[in-house]
Amino acid sequence: MQPTATVLVYSDDASTREQVRLATGRRPAPDLPQVEFVECATLPAVLSALEAGGIDVCVLDGEAVPAGGMGVSRQIKDEIFRCPPVLLLIGRPQDAWLATWSRADAAVTHPIDPVEFAEALAGLLRTRLAIEA
């Protein structure tokens, strides 16, 4: 098992980024490595972090402004070679179809339910780490 997994968290709202960190804890599941976070508040920061490499999963806030996580997800899926899986935070369950449009790999509603979020993140990390192994 690799020593750490790196999760990019994009939101213009610092409290949303904090909720993601708290819901994840040190690791989202016992069989996964500890998580390190790369926090981004702007689209250019997201693109720069992804270009630098080393990101295992992206958590994007669908309600972020001015660049919402849904549009960011679609953009990075088109532009980033071997784009990491995307977990999208959506405002309402009815927005799930938009998450599909954005090519997100998973979606959870905001406010974040820690159990639901950790399960979704763990699933994406397992998939990503299995591919890299």
Side-chain angles (χ1 to χ4, degrees):
M1 179 176 0
Q2 72 182 46
T4 61
T6 304
V7 175
L8 181 144
V9 182
Y10 165 65
S11 179
D12 64 316
D13 185 346
S15 67
T16 299
R17 296 191 307 267
E18 180 182 26
Q19 287 176 32
V20 168
R21 286 193 320 272
L22 292 174
T24 304
R26 294 178 65 188
R27 60 183 66 195
D31 62 317
L32 293 170
Q34 289 189 3
V35 171
E36 292 181 357
F37 295 97
V38 173
E39 293 189 37
C40 300
T42 65
L43 176 57
V46 170
L47 297 175
S48 177
L50 288 170
E51 288 294 333
I55 304 296
D56 294 305
V57 173
C58 297
V59 177
L60 308 177
D61 180 2
E63 305 297 315
V65 291
M70 292 181 202
V72 172
S73 175
R74 190 164 174 99
Q75 179 178 349
I76 64 176
K77 290 289 186 171
D78 285 342
E79 296 178 1
I80 303 296
F81 181 66
R82 293 190 183 145
C83 183
V86 171
L87 175 55
L88 192 59
L89 304 176
I90 56 177
R92 330 170 284 155
Q94 297 88 341
D95 292 336
W97 74 272
L98 286 168
T100 301
W101 169 85
S102 72
R103 300 187 189 137
D105 299 280
V108 296
T109 57
H110 194 271
I112 296 171
D113 174 325
V115 173
E116 177 187 19
F117 179 84
E119 288 174 357
L121 181 60
L124 294 178
L125 280 170
R126 285 184 190 105
T127 301
R128 178 67 172 200
L129 297 177
I131 290 170
E132 291 177 355

